[in-house]
């Protein structure tokens, strides 16, 4: 009996609440007709499927605003017993009854210089950092070449590209329903969004550009403003409602529109096809590599983007080129992703072509020291020198007759230091050489550019000059200018140097001989490199010395007794 009485009281209260609800519904209809309430204008319900053990009170506490009594939910769904809900039952929640709370946007990633303003006027601008949280009313700016990605409460994401500005006009969520109402404004620049699928009638993702408003859900699309004074909208997946100038068009996947005369969007046109990147290599060994692709008919240009992330959340490089070719400039090694699309006469950008490429660019190749491009070096065993490369544990070197190194004459790996001497005699002529670095883990960086040089005949050593001072013979020659080079000096009584009386190594370009006997002497000098390589001897010089006592008596005038026969 007590239970029956309680249920009767609940039904009476519900009946009263029902009459109040019907009156409110009439008022809502009047508001709708007046066009004063966008939320009520939807006139839609969010639906929920009941789980075992749930009651009307549970659901009211979880989803309804505090000022909406649970009895209204009971009346709206014609529930006799609020304590007994059949699992699997589908319940309707009017959108305007749902609890609404402020939502936040999160900076997923940022590359380059970007600033954020809480107030939206940038008087309080601060640098953008990953994981930064932003409220409604905030604004963002990116410098040229920068990019950032925002994440929203429903999982939608938007990438703001370089030299752009974005305002977060509305960020709110409908309790625990998963529905999010996001409204953004792009006064200038470009952005790409990937929006989550709709979770109910209040799910909105709206982006305004000057003259156009794009309303989307479950869509991948791009938008731009300020480009030639016209806004653009390009749909990659799903569809987008684009409105402006009193006109609305539905843009399907693979089509785009721009703001036309009076701001009204033009009829959607097909986007240009994705370029064919099938001929691109899977691996690049260069930090800066030119690549090309077949041209697209009707394309007036192409946009190239490079990212370290498959979802392109940030960009390492972005450029627009007129011809179907561009240079990749990746400041990283490892796997990167390139994206190319064609641009039509409207400025609409076409479908994306994406290619994954492995960049093996580190350690960087060293700079060449000698011989330089176009230079020459004396043979027959040239010495090749380069700078030390940061992160290098060893070096690889090749010498060939052609710049493609198809058939290298010399190919060495695991070299230490920064110089290499050809181990065999090479004939005179034109050659190419290149050097690359290898790190401590055995990973090879890219080879350096091919350096062309000419191998000329071996040069004779330096000529000698001699003088007798203070009773000693002084011999000098012109220094070569090579770092670390030494000299080997020889003196012999015989012109063929069959027997050698003096054989010394000196660091400078002169030697003093105080104890040579009188008579005829043959002298020669040979340059020695710091790696032990001996260059040819220079021309032999012949001198005739007077007797030692005569020289001692002559003193400083002893030079008159020195006869130099060249």
């Amino acid at each position: 009996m007590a239970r029956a009485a309680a249920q009767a009281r609940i039904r009476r209260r519900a009946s009263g609440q029902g009459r109040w609800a019907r009156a409110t519904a009439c008022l809502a209809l009047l508001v709708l007709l007046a066009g004063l309430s966008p939320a009520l204008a939807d006139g839609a319900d969010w639906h929920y499927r009941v789980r075992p053990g749930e009651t009307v009170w549970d659901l009211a506490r979880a989803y309804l605003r505090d000022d909406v009594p649970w009895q209204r939910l009971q009346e709206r769904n014609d529930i006799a017993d609020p304590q007994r809900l059949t699992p699997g039952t589908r319940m309707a929640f009017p959108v305007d009854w749902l609890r609404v709370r402020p939502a936040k946007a999160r900076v997923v990633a940022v590359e380059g210089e970007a600033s954020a303003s809480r107030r939206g006027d940038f008087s309080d601008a601060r640098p953008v950092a990953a994981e930064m949280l932003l409220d409604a009313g905030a604004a963002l700016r990116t410098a040229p070449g920068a990019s950032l990605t925002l994440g929203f409460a429903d999982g939608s994401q938007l990438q703001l590209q370089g030299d752009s500005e974005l305002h977060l006009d509305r960020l709110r969520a409908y309790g625990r329903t998963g529905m999010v109402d996001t409204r953004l404004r792009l006064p200038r620049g470009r952005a790409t969004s990937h929006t989550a699928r709709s979770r109910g009638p209040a799910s909105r993702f709206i982006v305004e550009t000057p003259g156009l408003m794009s309303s989307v859900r479950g869509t991948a699309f791009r938008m731009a403003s300020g480009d030639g004074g016209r806004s653009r909208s390009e749909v990659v997946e799903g569809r987008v409602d684009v409105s402006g100038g009193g006109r609305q068009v539905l843009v399907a996947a693979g089509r785009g529109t721009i703001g036309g005369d009076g701001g009204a969007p033009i009829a959607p046109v097909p986007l240009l096809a994705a370029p064919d990147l099938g001929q691109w290599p899977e691996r690049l060994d260069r930090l800066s590599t030119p690549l090309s692709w077949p041209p697209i008919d009707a394309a007036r240009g192409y946009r190239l983007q490079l990212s370290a992330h498959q979802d392109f959340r940030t960009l390492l490089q972005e450029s627009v080129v007129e011809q179907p070719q561009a240079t990749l400039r990746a400041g990283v090694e490892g796997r990167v992703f390139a994206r190319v699309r064609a641009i039509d006469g409207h400025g609409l950008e076409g479908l994306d072509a994406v290619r994954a490429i492995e960049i093996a660019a580190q350690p960087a190749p060293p700079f060449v020291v000698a011989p330089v491009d176009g230079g020459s070096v004396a043979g027959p065993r040239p010495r090749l020198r380069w700078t030390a490369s940061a992160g290098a544990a060893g070096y690889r070197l090749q010498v060939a007759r052609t710049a493609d190194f198809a058939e290298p004459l010399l190919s060495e790996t695991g070299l230490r230091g920064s110089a290499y001497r050809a181990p065999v005699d090479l004939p005179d002529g034109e050659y190419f050489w290149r050097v690359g670095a290898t790190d401590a883990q055995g990973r090879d960086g890219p080879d350096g550019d091919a350096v062309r040089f000419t191998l000329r005949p071996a040069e004779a050593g330096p000529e000698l000059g001699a003088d007798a001072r203070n009773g000693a013979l002084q011999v000098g020659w012109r220094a070569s200018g090579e770092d670390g080079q030494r000299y080997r000096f020889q003196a012999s009584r015989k012109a063929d140097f069959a027997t050698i009386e003096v054989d010394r190594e000196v660091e400078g370009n002169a030697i003093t001989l105080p104890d040579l006997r009188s008579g005829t002497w043959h002298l020669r000098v040979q340059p020695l490199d710091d790696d032990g390589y001996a260059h040819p001897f220079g021309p032999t010089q012949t001198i005739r010395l007077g007797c030692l006592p005569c020289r001692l008596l002559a003193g400083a005038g002893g030079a008159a007794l020195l006869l130099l026969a060249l």
Side-chain angles (χ1 to χ4, degrees):
M1 292 293 293
R3 181 181 179 85
Q7 290 179 346
R9 287 195 297 272
I10 290 172
R11 283 193 293 271
R12 285 195 297 272
R13 286 197 297 269
S15 177
Q17 294 291 342
R19 288 191 296 272
W20 184 84
R22 286 190 291 274
T24 302
C26 292
L27 178 60
L29 178 59
L30 292 175
V31 173
L32 170 62
L33 294 176
L36 297 178
S37 174
L40 293 177
D42 288 338
D45 293 335
W46 173 70
H47 292 91
Y48 177 81
R49 198 167 296 279
V50 176
R51 297 176 182 177
E54 291 182 319
T55 68
V56 171
W57 302 306
D58 296 332
L59 298 179
R61 281 195 301 269
Y63 296 103
L64 297 185
R65 299 197 320 259
D66 292 339
D67 61 339
V68 178
W70 62 267
Q71 291 89 347
R72 297 183 65 187
L73 184 61
Q74 179 186 11
E75 174 70 16
R76 175 67 179 79
N77 288 277
D78 198 21
I79 297 172
D81 186 351
Q83 299 183 82
R84 294 179 180 275
L85 298 178
T86 304
T89 301
R90 197 164 181 254
M91 291 182 61
F93 290 71
V95 168
D96 58 301
W97 293 3
L98 294 172
R99 179 178 289 117
V100 179
R101 59 177 174 81
K104 294 181 181 291
R106 178 177 64 90
V107 178
V108 175
V110 60
E111 183 78 26
E113 182 180 345
S115 59
S117 169
R118 290 189 178 92
R119 293 194 290 265
D121 59 2
F122 294 96
S123 61
D124 60 338
R126 55 181 175 145
V128 173
E131 302 303 322
M132 177 183 287
L133 297 178
L134 301 166
D135 297 308
L140 295 158
R141 280 179 180 168
T142 53
S147 61
L148 63 86
T149 293
L150 291 177
F152 299 93
D154 62 348
S156 297
Q157 290 192 344
L158 178 140
Q159 183 190 74
L160 187 65
Q161 291 160 24
D163 196 20
S164 300
E165 181 175 326
L166 181 74
H167 291 256
L168 312 182
D169 288 345
R170 179 184 297 172
L171 300 173
R172 62 183 187 182
Y174 286 84
R176 293 159 50 185
T177 66
M179 293 187 296
V180 173
D181 185 7
T182 302
R183 188 158 186 151
L184 311 173
R185 182 163 41 93
L186 185 72
R188 65 178 181 86
R190 296 178 300 108
T192 300
S193 75
H194 294 266
T195 60
R197 299 177 70 85
S198 175
R199 298 186 182 182
S203 293
R204 294 185 182 89
F205 193 96
I206 297 173
V207 182
E208 288 188 66
T209 54
L212 291 183
M213 183 174 72
S214 301
S215 179
V216 299
R217 189 46 70 182
T219 299
F221 80 112
R222 303 187 292 260
M223 67 231 72
S225 65
D227 186 359
R230 292 188 175 186
S231 295
R232 307 191 311 265
S233 186
E234 303 144 2
V235 182
V236 179
E237 298 174 5
R239 59 185 184 178
V240 177
D241 288 316
V242 180
S243 59
R247 183 186 184 195
Q248 181 175 350
V249 297
L250 180 64
V251 185
R255 292 179 174 267
T257 185
I258 64 172
D261 296 336
I266 67 171
V269 299
L271 301 178
L272 294 180
D276 181 7
L277 308 183
Q279 298 302 312
W280 284 19
E282 295 181 356
R283 175 187 169 97
L284 293 176
D285 293 329
R286 304 289 304 160
L287 287 173
S288 179
T289 302
L291 295 171
S292 61
W293 54 90
I296 300 290
D297 291 340
R300 67 170 178 83
Y302 302 86
R303 184 177 298 278
L304 168 73
Q305 295 175 327
L306 195 66
S307 177
H309 309 284
Q310 191 170 6
D311 60 2
F312 287 82
R313 70 189 69 165
T314 59
L315 301 178
L316 298 170
Q317 176 188 348
E318 183 173 32
S319 57
V320 174
V321 295
E322 294 184 0
Q323 301 301 320
Q325 58 187 23
T327 298
L328 299 188
R329 294 182 176 88
V332 299
E333 61 177 322
R335 197 168 182 81
V336 299
F337 300 88
R339 183 162 67 185
V340 180
R341 51 181 176 259
I343 304 172
D344 69 12
H346 295 292
L348 292 170
E349 301 186 4
L351 301 180
D352 292 322
V354 178
R355 180 80 171 186
I357 302 175
E358 194 73 23
I359 303 291
Q362 299 296 332
F367 297 111
V368 299
V369 174
V372 296
D373 194 36
S376 65
V377 63
R381 297 187 181 185
R383 190 185 191 198
L384 312 173
R385 295 185 294 134
W386 55 90
T387 61
S389 180
Y395 299 93
R396 311 176 315 279
L397 180 140
Q398 288 183 318
V399 177
R401 283 287 197 178
T402 58
D404 60 4
F405 295 88
E407 298 181 1
L409 301 175
L410 301 175
S411 185
E412 299 290 341
T413 60
L415 297 176
R416 307 297 179 184
S418 55
Y420 174 76
R421 173 79 62 182
V424 295
D425 290 352
L426 298 177
D428 301 341
E430 186 175 85
Y431 292 86
F432 295 86
W433 77 285
R434 65 183 180 184
V435 62
T438 303
D439 66 15
Q441 288 72 44
R443 295 178 301 180
D444 291 337
D447 291 313
D449 293 330
V451 177
R452 180 179 60 85
F453 71 97
T454 300
L455 191 64
R456 63 179 187 269
E459 296 177 345
E463 294 184 358
L464 302 175
D467 192 9
R469 295 181 183 274
N470 300 322
L473 179 64
Q474 295 180 348
V475 183
W477 54 90
R478 180 175 54 85
S480 68
E482 293 289 334
D483 291 339
Q485 196 168 63
R486 297 166 56 84
Y487 300 91
R488 184 180 187 185
F489 175 84
Q490 291 182 338
S492 175
R493 289 289 195 178
K494 297 183 177 180
D496 61 358
F497 288 83
T499 60
I500 299 173
E501 305 290 336
V502 179
D503 190 353
R504 299 180 189 174
E505 287 189 14
V506 295
E507 293 186 0
N509 59 324
I511 188 172
T512 299
L513 304 169
D515 52 357
L516 283 185
R517 301 185 304 277
S518 61
T520 300
W521 289 90
H522 305 281
L523 313 175
R524 65 183 183 182
V525 69
Q526 177 186 44
L528 303 174
D529 285 349
D530 57 3
D531 63 350
Y533 180 75
H535 290 271
F537 279 99
T540 299
Q541 308 286 337
T542 302
I543 64 173
R544 188 175 297 120
L545 296 177
C547 66
L548 178 59
C550 298
R551 281 186 282 148
L552 292 175
L553 291 173
L561 301 177
L562 174 66
L563 301 177
L564 183 63
L566 302 180

